[in-house]
Amino acid sequence: FFLCRGMQASKTGNRKKPEPFYWLSVSKPETSSEIVNEARNALRTIRTQRPFTPADEQRKLFGSRSSRCPQNRPASVFSLDASSFDLAESRPLSGVHLSPLAHKPILITSEQDEDSSVSLPKPPGDAAEVRKVNSARKGLFRTTSLGDLFSAQAVSLDQNEKNIDFEEPTMMMNNLDRSNNNCLAEPKLYTSFNDESRQLICNEPITRSGSEDSMERTPGKFSLQLRGESDQMKEPGKKSSHPGSSGRKRRVTGLKDETRINEWEDEDFFWCNKILPILRELEKIEDSIENLCLACTKLYQTLYEGNMLGKRFKRRRVLLKTLYKLVDIDSDPLSLKLAKIILALKVDGRNLLSVCKLAFKICRKKENDFIVQNDTLLDYLLEVLRNEDLQKNIEALIYCMGAIKFMSGNAVLLNEMVNKGAVEMLLQLMKQINNIKEHDTYFTNLGHLLVQLTATLRSLADLPLARLRLSCGAAASELCVALEQRGSDKDLCTCIVRILSKLSSYNDFCAALADCSRCYILFLALLNKHQKQQDLVVRIIFILGNLTAKNDQCREQFFKAKESINTLTSLFQTYYELDLNAQTCYDGRKGKGQKDLKYPSEAEDVLIKLIRVLANLSIHRSVGAALAAAHPVVGLLVTVLEYKSVDDCEELVINAATAINNLSYYQVKNSAVQDKKLHIAEMLLKLIVSDSMDAVVEAVRVFGNLSQHHEIRDFIMQRKIYKFMIALLDSKNRDVCFPACGVLLNLTVDKDKRAFLLEEGGIGKLVDCLQDFGPADWQLSCLICKTLWNYSEDITSAASCFGRDTDTLLVLLTSLLDDKVELECNLDRDIKDCQRLYWEREFKPVAEKLLDRIQSHHSS
C-alpha cells in the first residue's frame, strides 16, 4: 500500500516572527477592531504551503488483486466445518423385509466471544467548571504588560471571514528516525505551563479601564455544549456590565452579531489560556515520543472540553497545521493520537484521505492492537463511514474500512463494534453500494470498498449478537445482490461466500437465505463461472449442503433449478480428475523423501462437500428417486470407492458410501444403484475390513438396503460377511447394532440361510441386544423381534429353535409387553410419548405374535 506523502516542510522557512503587538500609551488608545485589523494585516503577509497532490500510483489502494488483502497481517483462513450428512429416515418394507436406514444430523460448531465496550469520555458540563474558567480569565487579563506573554504567530480573527474551515495540505509521511515508543496512558487532569522563551500573539478584543495597568477582558458566555449541537447563543438583550465595555467599538450591530462576537471572545480566551501552551509543547519536536503523546492527549481533552472539535472552530487551520507537521515522526502511538484529533476536527477532501491512510497504516500492524483498543479511534472511523458521501470520498472510505477490518481481528474491538451498531451501519452502507449500477463510473472502486466491508462482516459473524442481527436484518438479500452484481470479481465473491458459509450453519440465517428465491440460480452461475477456483467453489458447495440439509422445500427448489445436477456432475468430474492426478504424482514420489500430501487435499475437500449435497438431496423422495436413476451420479460415487481407500481420505470414502446408501433405498425402475449392486458390494468389503468403525457402519448400512436383493444375500453368505454382522451385535452401540440387525433380518427371508443364526450364536446375541436396549429403543427392539419371527417361521420346538435362550426370551418378551414398561424409562415427556406410540403400533404386534409362537411350541 502506498500512503500519500506530503512535501517536507521547511525547518527554517517562515520562522521569522512579525513584531509583537504592544499596548500603546494612554494618550493614543486603540480600539478592539483596530487591533484585530492590525493582526489580520500581519497574517496576510504570511505565505502558506500549497497542498501536495499525490501521484496516481500513490493514491491507489489496490494495485493488484493480491494487494486487496493487506499483507502485514496474515489473512484469516476460512475453515470449513467437517459435517456429516442428513440421511433418510428409517422405513420398514412391506412384509417381513426391513431396509434399515439411519438419519445422521449435521454437526454445527458455534463460536462465541465475550462482549466488551469502550465509552467516550464525557465533557464537564457543571456550572462550577464554568465559574472556574471565568475566574481564571479575569486573573489573566489583570497583567500590566502583555508584550512578553504572547507570540507573534498571528491568526486571522476577521469576524466577517467565511472561509474559516480551510485546511492545510495533506499529511507528510517522511520518517524522522524516531523510535516507535509506547504511548502514555491518557491522564484525566492536566496542568498548563508557560514557555517564556516564545511569544504568542493573543488577538483578543480587549478593553482598558482607566490605565494600561488596569485592563480586563469583557466576560462572555463560555460554551461547553456537546459536539454536533448548535452553539449556545448569548441570551438576547443581556448586556455586559463589565467596566469599560461601553467604550468598545464594533462594526457589527444587533443582538445576534453581538452574541457572536462574545462567543468568539470566549473562544479566543480559551485558545490563549488553554490550547496555546499545549501547542508550544507540540512544537518541541526534539522532545521524546512520550512527551509528545502526552501533549496530544491533553490537547484532545482540552478541545473536547472547550467544544472545539468539529469544523466550527475558527482557529482550526492553525491547529491542523501544527498537527500535520508531527505526522512525519515515525511513531505509531503518536500517529494514533494525531489521527484521532484530526478526525475529530472533521477534515474532508485530501486531508480526510490522508488521515484515513494514517489510520490504516497504524491498524494494519497487529502489534498496535493494544494501543488501538485503548483509544477511541474506532468511534471516529465509524463516524466517517456513517456520514461521509459515498461517491465523493470513495478512496478515503476504502482506507477507513480497511482500518476497521484490521480492528475486527481484535476480540475487544470486535465486541465494541457490535455494541456501537457497526453491523447495521455496514449493512446500510452495502445497500447504498448495491444501488450503484455497473455502468456508473464509481462501480469499480466501490468493489474495493466492498472487499474490506465484507471481510469485516465475516469477522463480526463470529459473535452471537452480530449473527442475530445479521439473521434478523436484510443481510442475506443484500449479500446476494452484491454477489449477483459483481460475479466477475473473484476476490469479492470469495469474501461474500465466506460470510454466507459461516452464517448458513445457523438455522435462522439459513432460512432467510432460502427465502432469497434467486440464490440457487446465483450459486449455480458462480459455480459454472469459477469452476476451477477451489476456494470459492468449496464454500458455495458448503452453503448448498447446509441449505439442502434443512428441509425438503430447499432440496426440491435446488433440484428444479436449471442445470443444477449437471453442474454438480461437471464439478464432480473436474475435481475427481484433479484428485486422481495429484494422487498419481504422489504415488510416484513415494520413497523419495517427499512429504505427505495435505489431508484432505483441495480437490478432496470439494468432493467431500459436493457428495454431501447429493446425499442431502436424496432425502427428498422424488429427488432421491431421480438421482438413483442418474447413472453419471451413481457412477462417480462408485468411482470414489474404487480409487480411494479409507486410509487415503476417510471422510470422502464415508460420504460416498452414505450417498450410495441413501440412493439404494429407492426401488425404482432403471435404478443405477441396482444395476451396479454387486460391484458396489465388492467395494464395500474394503470398508468392512478397515480400522475405521465409521466406515464399517456406513458399509453395513448399505448392505442393509442392498440385501433386499437375493444376489446380495448370496454374496453375503459366500463371503462370510454374516459372521461379521453377528459379531457387531456385541458392540453395545445402537448405531452399530441397528444396521447389523437389519442385514440379519433380510438374510432370514431365505429359508436356506436361517440356520447360520443359531450356529454362529446369533440367537443369544439378539436376545442380549433386546435385553440391553429394550424400552430405551423400541425401534431396535422391534427389528430384533422381526428377525426372530422370520427365523422361527418353520418352528417345531421352541427349545430346538431358540436353544438355551428360550426361557430368557419368554421372560423378556413378557416384561416388555407390560403396558407400564415404557414408563420406567428416564426420558423426556415428548420422547416418551413418541416411544409409547411406536411401542403400540410397531413393537407390540410383532412381539405378541412372537411370544405366542414360542409359548405354543414351548411344551413340545
Side-chain angles (χ1 to χ4, degrees), residues 521-533:
I521 298 175
L522 175 61
F523 291 143
L524 289 170
L526 290 173
L527 289 175
N528 286 316
K529 189 178 186 66
H530 303 285
Q531 191 171 92
K532 293 188 178 181
Q533 299 292 338

Side-chain angles (χ1 to χ4, degrees), residues 111 116 183 301 348 360 374 437 445 489 509 685 760:
E111 303 174 23
S116 62
C183 65
Q301 291 177 342
D348 53 21
F360 179 86
N374 290 319
K437 303 307 178 184
N445 284 337
D489 189 333
F509 185 86
L685 286 180
E760 300 294 333

Side-chain angles (χ1 to χ4, degrees), residues 516-627:
C516 299
S517 58
R518 289 183 54 81
C519 71
Y520 301 108
I521 298 175
L522 175 61
F523 291 143
L524 289 170
L526 290 173
L527 289 175
N528 286 316
K529 189 178 186 66
H530 303 285
Q531 191 171 92
K532 293 188 178 181
Q533 299 292 338
Q534 188 272 346
D535 56 339
L536 181 62
V537 169
V538 74
R539 290 173 173 87
I540 296 176
I541 295 297
F542 182 75
I543 297 168
L544 291 174
N546 288 336
L547 286 170
T548 54
K550 304 303 178 182
N551 55 62
D552 264 3
Q553 184 178 0
C554 293
R555 298 170 189 131
E556 184 177 7
Q557 287 178 345
F558 176 76
F559 179 75
K560 289 182 177 180
K562 186 178 180 180
E563 298 295 319
S564 59
I565 301 303
N566 288 340
T567 299
L568 295 183
T569 304
S570 176
L571 282 174
F572 203 138
Q573 183 69 37
T574 298
Y575 283 90
Y576 154 69
E577 292 175 357
L578 289 174
D579 185 49
L580 188 62
N581 293 335
Q583 184 170 331
T584 302
C585 294
Y586 171 70
D587 292 340
R589 294 196 304 265
K590 279 186 177 180
K592 298 181 181 180
Q594 298 290 338
K595 293 184 178 179
D596 292 341
L597 292 175
K598 175 186 174 183
Y599 172 79
S601 67
E602 291 183 348
E604 288 173 336
D605 203 13
V606 172
L607 292 174
I608 288 169
K609 304 305 185 293
L610 195 152
I611 293 175
R612 176 191 173 210
V613 175
L614 293 173
N616 289 345
L617 286 173
S618 62
I619 298 174
H620 190 284
R621 182 176 294 274
S622 60
V623 175
L627 290 177

